Amino acid sequence: MHYVQKVIAGKKKRIQQPLLPNFLFIYATREQADFFVKKTVDEPTSFIKYYLDKTLPPEANGKNPPLIIPYNAMINFIKATSTDSDHVRIVTSEQCHYKHGDNVRVIAGDFKGVVGKVARIAGQQRIVVEISGLCLVATAYIPTDFIEIIK
């Protein structure tokens, strides 16, 4: 979730909305997930579909496998997006001007513990967290003193 400014009935309001609409992340085994996804059409959860990983070769059934986000990557994504900052946003790779190829860790501030790459976005130094095959998330401005290079 993230906060956005919307004009409702002529007044500016700060409301919370999904950062990635229509996505449901679950922590489960493939068999547990299949229980909810592989329903028949007349069952209430039949609208749930896997987000397919098109970077991997198709499975035996000819379809790409579901996207699986590693546990550490998901925890990092949660840390990056669970602050009260209006400046966290989804970005494209074209918007990211990476300073170095090094992975860094935020050691202080609202984003403490977030691991990603340093990039200049909208004229500010931010940390970009990647969920492989899905999206890039940029934090708010991070001072250089709050960053350490991971070796």
Side-chain angles (χ1 to χ4, degrees):
M1 302 295 280
H2 71 134
Y3 289 97
V4 293
Q5 294 284 341
K6 292 227 177 183
V7 177
I8 300 173
K11 295 182 179 181
K12 282 186 182 179
K13 296 204 178 208
R14 184 176 183 243
I15 62 167
Q16 203 175 31
Q17 67 182 27
L19 191 62
L20 295 169
N22 302 320
F23 276 86
L24 175 66
F25 296 97
I26 64 166
Y27 180 68
T29 64
R30 176 79 181 261
E31 293 76 25
Q32 291 170 327
D34 283 347
F35 176 78
F36 293 101
V37 174
K38 304 218 180 207
K39 299 277 187 176
T40 60
V41 176
D42 58 333
E43 293 186 58
T45 58
S46 65
F47 58 87
I48 298 174
K49 304 273 187 255
Y50 283 122
Y51 186 85
L52 303 180
D53 189 348
K54 299 200 174 28
T55 63
L56 297 176
E59 294 178 333
N61 62 7
K63 294 182 180 180
N64 291 85
L67 178 67
I68 296 172
I69 301 168
Y71 180 78
N72 289 340
M74 193 67 208
I75 294 300
N76 195 41
F77 175 78
I78 291 168
K79 284 179 187 176
T81 58
S82 63
T83 66
D84 195 22
S85 175
D86 296 338
H87 303 288
V88 173
R89 61 172 123 173
I90 299 291
V91 294
T92 64
S93 57
E94 292 80 30
Q95 293 173 298
C96 299
H97 304 287
Y98 292 105
K99 288 185 166 186
H100 309 285
D102 299 332
N103 277 339
V104 297
R105 178 180 292 112
V106 180
I107 57 173
D110 290 343
F111 298 99
K112 184 177 181 178
V114 171
V115 175
K117 294 186 179 186
V118 178
R120 186 156 290 281
I121 300 169
Q124 294 182 330
Q125 176 174 279
R126 300 170 186 241
I127 303 299
V128 176
V129 173
E130 180 179 3
I131 297 293
S132 185
L134 183 60
C135 69
L136 299 169
V137 176
T139 65
Y141 167 74
I142 305 283
T144 303
D145 292 344
F146 287 14
I147 298 171
E148 73 176 1
I149 295 175
I150 300 174
K151 296 179 183 186

